[in-house]
Amino acid sequence: MHCPYCRHTDTRVLDSRVADDGGSIRRRRTCSACERRFTTVELMQLTVLKRSGASEPFARDKAIAGVRKACKGRPVTEDELACLGQAVEDALRLAGAAEIPAHEVGMAILGPLRALDEVAYLRFASVYRAFESADDFEDEIATLRAERTQPVPTG
């Protein structure tokens, strides 16, 4: 780590703390050359492994953009989309892997989207799962109806 003041490479960590959200670490450092103090923040980088074999950093905005298209004309607010994006990112981080296949990102979107808006879910699923006929839609709608009519377990 280079000192931001004198660019010296020998710095020492004085204190480390995990951020409230658990997604980053804040470190308080001191430079051995100029003795000035500074703070660094370390973030865990989620990487998406695409079908082509290339990898890129996970972008919550990119995930939300795909969902936004499915929600066009539906009563879904930007705040709800932001919450969905956060839920998807949290689920992917909880999986504990630094590199996630693109397919898993889509799978992580389907659950929260189904709870948010069933029509938008069907639109997204039709593209994501490559529906080829009306039968595919009918099968998915039948699954949604069956899940809706199942009694909620009490305990």
Side-chain angles (χ1 to χ4, degrees):
M1 175 62 57
H2 291 276
C3 171
Y5 303 105
C6 71
R7 304 299 299 157
H8 195 264
T9 58
D10 187 22
T11 63
R12 189 169 54 99
V13 175
L14 300 174
D15 181 46
S16 294
R17 295 183 187 193
V18 176
D20 292 336
D21 65 356
S24 62
I25 297 175
R26 179 187 169 274
R27 297 195 194 279
R28 196 75 182 127
R29 296 177 177 268
T30 186
C31 174
S32 60
C34 70
E35 297 184 9
R36 293 182 81 177
R37 292 182 177 194
F38 60 98
T39 302
T40 59
V41 177
E42 297 176 17
L43 297 171
M44 183 180 104
Q45 178 91 39
L46 280 176
T47 305
V48 177
L49 181 63
K50 300 176 88 174
R51 284 181 227 136
S52 67
S55 61
E56 65 181 39
F58 172 78
R60 187 187 312 172
D61 292 339
K62 190 172 179 180
I64 291 173
V67 174
R68 186 177 287 117
K69 290 176 189 173
C71 292
K72 187 171 181 162
R74 300 295 305 153
V76 176
T77 66
E78 284 297 316
D79 286 344
E80 290 171 321
L81 287 175
C83 289
L84 181 138
Q86 182 66 51
V88 168
E89 185 171 349
D90 290 347
L92 294 173
R93 287 189 186 281
L94 285 174
E99 190 169 74
I100 299 129
H103 176 75
E104 293 298 319
V105 175
M107 292 300 289
I109 290 171
L110 287 173
L113 184 56
R114 180 187 303 183
L116 182 61
D117 187 277
E118 287 182 346
V119 173
Y121 164 78
L122 282 171
R123 290 174 178 171
F124 188 86
S126 71
V127 173
Y128 179 70
R129 293 185 179 156
F131 287 6
E132 294 181 5
S133 68
D135 292 338
D136 294 333
F137 280 96
E138 289 173 356
D139 293 343
E140 194 64 34
I141 290 168
T143 301
L144 285 171
R145 285 185 178 142
E147 289 174 1
R148 202 183 307 148
T149 60
Q150 287 180 347
V152 176
T154 57

